[in-house]
Amino acid sequence: MMSFGYSADLLARYPQVVGGVILARGLHNGPTPEKLRDAYLNEQQAVIQRIGKTPLSQLPSLAAWRTAFRGFGVEPTQYRSAAEALLRRLTKKGDIPCINTMVDIGNLVSIRYGLPVAVFDIQSITGKVTVHFADGSERYILLGADEVEHPEVGEVVFSDEQGLVIARRWCWRQSEPSAAQESTTSAIITIEAHHAEGRADIEQALAELQELLSTYAAGDETRLTATILDASHPRITDEANEE
């Protein structure tokens, strides 16, 4: 089973959040194909030109994420949202390196819309994944590390039914066990927004994610189940058996 959703407590504090979610099975990951790499590099340069000298803090999508972070006690200039971190690297260094097909698809859409996109391998995930306020007992392993950490009480995290944290500080950084690898075949893919035009952006971005996955990461057995989550529709579940 794959399942992703928002807790009632979180939606009570953030009723404006909109999440686009894809539950994906039968994908093929690997080194980024040349055509996708070219599209990704072209998008990076287009984003640099579009942003120009505008401070990232003034982009509506990123400003809304900064407000959301402050809402659960996190200073957003110390812990930047995944989208802001990508755009900050891009505007300061001039490029973002390729990692693998799925990660690059997510990053391409993320910089295009200024919204955090996450690709979670479900291999280590048990049961439902929920976005919620942490109680501090949950377990987290930072990407690239092996030490177990615990989130702060009240911090927004993604975690499974056994308390394994998939992402800390909402969309700051995902965990080592959930990172998309070249062996990844099943994944939960999310894109989230808080700003006023968020729903329209999520609708477009979700369609583009599905198109890119179908073009570069799909095979005969691929199944993509997608929806938009909000306060009135807080969870998506796919009961299909794993291969």
Side-chain angles (χ1 to χ4, degrees):
M1 178 188 75
M2 281 196 281
S3 181
F4 180 91
Y6 297 102
S7 72
D9 287 351
L10 183 117
L11 289 171
R13 189 181 303 179
Y14 297 98
Q16 77 285 355
V17 68
V18 180
V21 184
I22 300 171
L23 306 183
R25 299 180 186 277
L27 295 173
H28 299 284
N29 202 13
T32 305
E34 183 177 357
K35 188 174 181 180
L36 175 60
R37 182 182 295 109
D38 289 344
Y40 186 27
L41 293 176
N42 288 338
E43 185 66 28
Q44 292 181 35
Q45 295 310 304
V47 169
I48 290 173
Q49 293 299 315
R50 186 166 68 247
I51 291 175
K53 297 185 180 299
T54 303
L56 295 181
S57 61
Q58 293 183 15
L59 299 181
S61 61
L62 300 185
W65 271 107
R66 285 187 170 208
T67 298
F69 272 35
R70 292 189 184 99
F72 61 93
V74 169
E75 174 49 54
T77 57
Q78 181 179 4
Y79 299 101
R80 301 177 192 277
S81 70
E84 183 170 347
L86 275 177
L87 290 173
R88 190 165 186 262
R89 178 194 169 93
L90 178 60
T91 54
K92 286 185 175 296
K93 296 184 177 294
D95 71 330
I96 302 169
C98 291
I99 298 176
N100 59 52
T101 296
M102 289 186 198
V103 172
D104 291 350
I105 286 172
N107 286 348
L108 189 161
V109 174
S110 179
I111 63 173
R112 179 175 291 168
Y113 289 92
L115 293 172
V117 176
V119 181
F120 301 113
D121 189 313
I122 69 164
Q123 185 173 1
S124 299
I125 294 173
T126 302
K128 299 176 180 178
V129 174
T130 302
V131 186
H132 65 100
F133 297 110
D135 64 19
S137 67
E138 299 88 353
R139 297 165 290 106
Y140 171 79
I141 301 174
L142 180 68
L143 189 63
D146 54 14
E147 297 88 359
V148 174
E149 302 176 359
H150 299 280
E152 300 291 333
V153 175
E155 178 185 326
V156 177
V157 297
F158 295 13
S159 71
D160 70 5
E161 292 182 2
Q162 291 191 348
L164 179 66
V165 174
I166 293 101
R168 282 196 66 180
R169 300 182 180 92
W170 206 327
C171 62
W172 168 65
R173 196 168 296 172
Q174 71 182 91
S175 69
E176 176 66 30
S178 70
Q181 307 293 334
E182 292 192 5
S183 59
T184 298
T185 59
S186 295
I188 298 174
I189 301 153
T190 66
I191 181 166
E192 301 172 282
H194 291 270
H195 63 294
E197 303 300 324
R199 178 171 289 274
D201 286 347
I202 292 291
E203 288 173 350
Q204 293 180 42
L206 191 62
E208 290 176 21
L209 282 167
Q210 291 178 87
E211 181 178 356
L212 288 166
L213 289 167
S214 296
T215 300
Y216 295 109
D220 293 339
E221 303 299 321
T222 299
R223 173 180 171 180
L224 304 177
T225 303
T227 195
I228 293 178
L229 302 183
D230 56 21
S232 63
H233 177 49
R235 181 168 292 278
I236 177 175
T237 300
D238 180 358
E239 298 284 356
N241 292 326
E242 293 289 341
E243 297 297 329

